[in-house]
Each structure stands twice: as C-alpha cells, then as structure tokens.
Amino acid sequence: QVQLVESGGGLVQTGDSLRLSCAASGRTFSGYVMGWFRQAPAKDREFVASIRWSGGSTSYADSVKGRSTISRDNAKNTVYLQMNSLKPEDTAVYYCAARLGYSGTDYKTYTYWGQGTQVTVSS
C-alpha cells in the first residue's frame, strides 16, 4: 500500500526558503514519477515540479523554474522540493503525488497522493 507523507511547510516571509519533504513507502518506486502540486484558495490544483525516480530527470512549472529544485534520496525513499525566494503567490497547500510511467502536469493523472502541507508566505 503506497503512502505519501508531506512535511516541511510553515509560515515564512517573502524571500525565505523552505524544503518540503515527501516520505514515500509501500513499494519500490523505480518506474514512478514523483510530483509536487499545490492548491491555493479559489484556485485549481497546480503542477509545481516532477522527477522520475529512475534517472532523476526533472520538470518544473514556469512559476517556480530557477528558484526551486526537486530531488530524491533513494536510501530514504524521500522526495524533496527546495523552494527559494518565496513569494506570497507561493502560498498554498503543497501535495506530493506519484504515478507510474511518464511525466505530466495534469493532477488527475496521478494515482497516489499525500495529505498536503501548508506553505504560507507573508508579504
């Protein structure tokens, strides 16, 4: 049974950094794509970044490209999202997700989800 548990969110100021963690368990994740999504009030769930477990190829949304880094630790079965230069528009609940196969930006194509962690960036 796959479980994804996010942590690392919090209340920060504009310009600060956070590292979000997603602890994955239940299966070997080779062949999986791990993704980070976020959802702000009154907005749809939005793609942030993804990484292929095997090989580590990454993809980023334009809104975070250049100031965010997604990575994974194979030994710990953990995926990270390092976010720098945070802005108020980054405020959202951040979700970790996973699916087999190809990378993508549509949240509806991801099979497994964590419960989310709140990131709030004050101005």
Side-chain angles (χ1 to χ4, degrees), residues 37-46 87-95 117-121:
F37 293 79
R38 65 188 183 187
Q39 189 162 20
K43 292 187 177 181
D44 290 335
R45 194 163 298 185
E46 176 187 28
K87 309 172 182 178
E89 49 263 47
D90 294 319
T91 295
V93 177
Y94 282 71
Y95 297 93
T117 185
Q118 177 71 48
V119 172
T120 302
V121 185

Side-chain angles (χ1 to χ4, degrees), residues 9-18 67 83-91 119-123:
L11 174 62
V12 298
Q13 299 180 80
T14 298
D16 285 352
S17 297
L18 279 175
R67 60 189 182 94
M83 302 187 69
N84 303 320
S85 302
L86 285 163
K87 309 172 182 178
E89 49 263 47
D90 294 319
T91 295
V119 172
T120 302
V121 185
S122 66
S123 59

